Amino acid sequence: MNLHLKVWRQKNSETKGHLVDYEARNIPEDCSFLEMLDLVNEDLLSRGDEPIAFDHDCREGICGMCSLTINGIPHGPSETTTCQLYMRKFKDGATIYIEPFRVGAFPLLRDLAVNRSAFDRIQQAGGFISARVGAAQDANSILVPKTDSDHAMEAAACIGCGACAAACPNASAMLFVGAKVTHLGSLPQGQPERERRVLAMVKKMDEEGFGNCSNYLECEAVCPAEIPVTVIGQLNRDYSLALLKDNL
Amino acid sequence: MLDPQHARKAFHAELCKKFAHPSNQCSHSIPRFCSAPSLNPILTTPKSSVNLLLKFWSSSIGKKWLVALTGLALLGFVVAHLVGNLQMFAGAAKINAYAEFLHANDKPLWVARLGLILCFVGHIVATLTLVKMNRAARPKAYAISRNVQAKISTRTMALSGLTVLSFIVFHLLHYTLRVTDPRFKTVAEGGQLDTVFDVYRMVVLGFGNPLLSGFYIVSVGLLALHLSHGISSVFQTFGLESKRSAQWMPTAGKLLSVVIFAGYASIPTAVLLGFLK
């Protein structure tokens, strides 16, 4: 199949970028979106041009490294990540806009690659459990109700790709932070640091310059891990209670 | 012999000295045993309710709380105002007596009015602050942006909010201050009202103009749109959202908005159709 691409090219964060037209010819329907970009890059290299920079790693939908906003939707029309998006989802001769994740807190590095370290810094602020748990123990020694473990597992599916912030009209990271807070706060091991965690993570989230949730629910729609937007409700509840407890 | 509490404290102080952080701050999780200043910002600030409010306001979630709380208060007014207005259908004597009752208790009335003005200002200031932060959070816009599941009521919050704001200004000039229509004076003053509180006659005269009635109906329609998003969002902001409540909340918001719209729109419609005269 043949495609018209409009790709965002930008040398670095200092220079101005713009959309550049490329023709992708003879693309097999069964290749993934990233493989299609690989083919375009090979073509560019053979002509002595600079290849298009984009993020990728595992290419099996679990690492959260690939990004791209395809035709205005982060991860494009795939149910999961961009690496799991196949060209058969597009029509022959289609025009495809490929832009980076546009979030102020994710500074652009080059072309389609952005720096998502802001998520790492939020995670480092409190998204962990430091309680000493000793050696691996018998699974039955800490009782976790099935509903709680399901709840935690659902939120733990977050791969931190940043699509939520990229899709949000306010560039809010609350689905990500909500997922981390819900995941760790639903398990017994996460209880001792539950309040400190949510206060520190929200503080960091605000410092990094993310926007605020206005319930557009776009994050939920694009999330490759299908994190439900109810984690934001949990985040709001935990944060408000923690702040109240911490100050009264 | 030292009691265990003191022993632990002493032991901890020794450890702290031994593994002192370069900044001479302590990063451990049990600050009550340690005299070194904590690295954790949450544990360093003194506890007070002023501090709580300041911290709450400075956080993104706190600002959302303010928008939600003031929004709820304003919703309360919208409902109370509707109940008062619907007395139009009970006849002129009933609604005029209600108007007289309100004005007879002008002290509580002014307390309520001041409260409303404060809520109004708070709602707008907090929203504008959030909008400013949200704009700054995406300095470079997408060339193509597409919504997947955002509802129309959500996407038009700014439009509906600003229209309602301008409508309220007009509405106050129209029926409260009565400066837009020379007929809204008593007969003695050259107008067409029997008494100062002849609200019934004033409303019938006012809504007799189809253009003006149309503007009122469109405005309360936009108010209902604003509320349908606002009501369901309040639950999320307060953290009352759960898997189960997420199912019925948007429906509840829509239902209440439709009731509010139908109630408010019924009055100009009834005047235009000649049911109220």
Side-chain angles (χ1 to χ4, degrees):
Chain A
M1 60 196 295
N2 298 320
L3 300 153
H4 313 289
L5 305 182
K6 285 179 179 289
V7 183
W8 187 264
R9 299 302 304 262
Q10 187 170 338
K11 224 175 173 68
N12 52 46
S13 57
E14 310 296 315
T15 53
K16 252 184 124 170
H18 52 277
L19 287 167
V20 177
D21 291 303
Y22 293 102
E23 297 297 324
R25 295 190 196 286
N26 302 321
I27 303 292
E29 276 200 344
D30 289 334
C31 84
S32 77
F33 200 85
L34 297 185
E35 285 161 351
M36 182 273 290
L37 284 178
D38 289 338
L39 292 172
V40 172
N41 274 346
E42 273 177 30
D43 189 40
L44 285 175
L45 281 167
S46 70
R47 285 191 275 131
D49 289 338
E50 278 283 319
I52 303 160
F54 61 91
D55 282 325
H56 61 98
D57 194 6
C58 76
R59 298 212 180 190
E60 53 188 22
I62 54 169
C63 78
M65 192 61 203
C66 59
S67 55
L68 307 186
T69 303
I70 302 159
N71 286 337
I73 300 172
H75 293 306
S78 72
E79 283 81 28
T80 62
T81 48
T82 301
C83 63
Q84 294 298 299
L85 170 64
Y86 291 90
M87 297 317 293
R88 51 183 172 266
K89 282 261 184 186
F90 296 90
K91 285 197 182 107
D92 189 25
T95 302
I96 306 175
Y97 281 80
I98 311 173
E99 292 179 80
F101 278 1
R102 295 230 184 265
V103 179
F106 296 161
L108 193 136
L109 297 170
R110 187 187 180 91
D111 298 338
L112 303 168
V114 294
N115 182 353
R116 284 166 281 176
S117 307
F119 269 17
D120 297 336
R121 289 191 291 272
I122 295 175
Q123 188 80 340
Q124 284 155 7
F128 49 80
I129 291 171
S130 64
R132 292 181 191 191
V133 289
Q137 43 194 316
D138 186 79
N140 294 324
S141 64
I142 300 173
L143 300 178
V144 183
K146 178 81 170 103
T147 46
D148 289 3
S149 63
D150 283 352
H151 195 56
M153 190 55 222
E154 186 181 48
C158 171
I159 50 175
C161 65
C164 45
C168 177
N170 301 339
S172 166
M174 285 177 86
L175 194 77
F176 167 74
V177 181
K180 300 301 168 197
V181 163
T182 305
H183 159 209
L184 299 171
S186 302
L187 294 171
Q189 292 92 336
Q191 296 312 312
E193 289 157 312
R194 187 170 180 169
E195 287 148 25
R196 257 179 71 186
R197 176 183 309 119
V198 68
L199 292 175
M201 289 184 88
V202 169
K203 188 166 183 280
K204 196 73 204 158
M205 173 184 87
D206 288 348
E207 278 171 10
E208 293 290 345
F210 288 101
N212 309 283
C213 174
S214 295
N215 298 346
Y216 285 91
L217 313 188
E218 288 297 301
C219 52
E220 185 188 59
V222 301
C223 178
E226 298 178 319
I227 307 291
V229 81
T230 45
V231 298
I232 299 179
Q234 170 102 48
L235 173 71
N236 289 335
R237 176 164 61 238
D238 277 17
Y239 179 78
S240 311
L241 287 175
L243 199 66
L244 212 64
K245 255 175 130 176
D246 195 60
N247 285 278
L248 289 182
Chain B
M1 199 179 129
L2 281 171
D3 67 279
Q5 182 89 353
H6 275 95
R8 276 161 78 184
K9 206 168 174 177
F11 174 67
H12 191 84
E14 207 169 295
L15 268 184
C16 253
K17 229 185 277 166
K18 216 167 173 181
F19 303 109
H21 193 269
S23 63
N24 199 27
Q25 287 182 319
C26 179
S27 63
H28 56 69
S29 54
I30 34 174
R32 64 182 184 279
F33 294 140
C34 182
S35 51
S38 173
L39 268 182
N40 190 333
I42 297 149
L43 302 165
T44 49
T45 39
K47 294 183 179 199
S48 80
S49 47
V50 178
N51 226 326
L52 169 72
L53 289 177
L54 273 178
K55 262 197 230 167
F56 210 40
W57 167 253
S58 67
S59 77
S60 53
I61 295 174
K63 289 187 197 69
K64 274 163 55 84
W65 263 80
L66 187 67
V67 176
L69 279 175
T70 50
L72 262 190
L74 293 168
L75 171 68
F77 168 74
V78 165
V79 172
H81 189 45
L82 174 63
V83 172
N85 288 3
L86 285 178
Q87 294 177 61
M88 277 295 288
F89 292 102
K94 186 93 182 152
I95 186 126
N96 290 350
Y98 174 63
E100 230 159 312
F101 161 76
L102 286 182
H103 285 273
N105 299 295
D106 64 337
K107 266 191 197 134
L109 183 72
W110 268 107
V111 171
R113 278 175 171 171
L114 278 176
L116 272 179
I117 292 168
L118 274 180
C119 284
F120 214 74
V121 171
H123 196 69
I124 294 170
V125 168
T127 306
L128 287 181
T129 319
L130 285 170
V131 166
K132 204 176 149 203
M133 289 168 70
N134 295 341
R135 293 254 164 96
R138 173 160 299 130
K140 173 84 187 150
Y142 286 110
I144 298 257
S145 72
R146 201 165 291 172
N147 288 300
V148 187
Q149 62 174 17
K151 293 196 181 77
I152 183 127
S153 58
T154 313
R155 284 186 277 129
T156 53
M157 281 306 268
L159 177 84
S160 58
L162 290 172
T163 314
V164 168
L165 174 65
S166 52
F167 163 71
I168 289 169
V169 172
F170 174 76
H171 182 51
L172 287 174
L173 293 172
H174 186 214
Y175 282 145
T176 308
L177 300 171
R178 305 178 181 190
V179 293
T180 60
D181 199 327
R183 294 173 300 172
F184 293 171
K185 285 180 187 139
T186 55
V187 177
E189 290 173 310
Q192 293 185 22
L193 306 184
D194 292 336
T195 64
V196 181
F197 299 119
D198 193 357
V199 173
Y200 186 85
R201 177 121 205 93
M202 177 178 78
V203 170
V204 170
L205 284 172
F207 286 147
N209 179 346
L211 263 180
L212 199 132
S213 287
F215 173 61
Y216 266 78
I217 292 170
V218 168
S219 299
V220 292
L222 284 169
L223 172 67
L225 199 66
H226 197 77
L227 289 176
S228 74
H229 172 80
I231 294 166
S232 59
S233 293
V234 159
F235 285 91
Q236 201 219 41
T237 300
F238 291 163
L240 298 171
E241 196 184 35
S242 67
K243 278 264 160 72
R244 207 180 306 158
S245 63
Q247 310 257 315
W248 57 259
M249 266 163 9
T251 319
K254 257 184 239 163
L255 210 70
L256 189 55
S257 315
V258 167
V259 169
I260 287 170
F261 171 71
Y264 275 112
S266 71
I267 300 166
T269 311
V271 172
L272 284 180
L273 294 177
F275 292 123
L276 295 173
K277 53 190 163 193

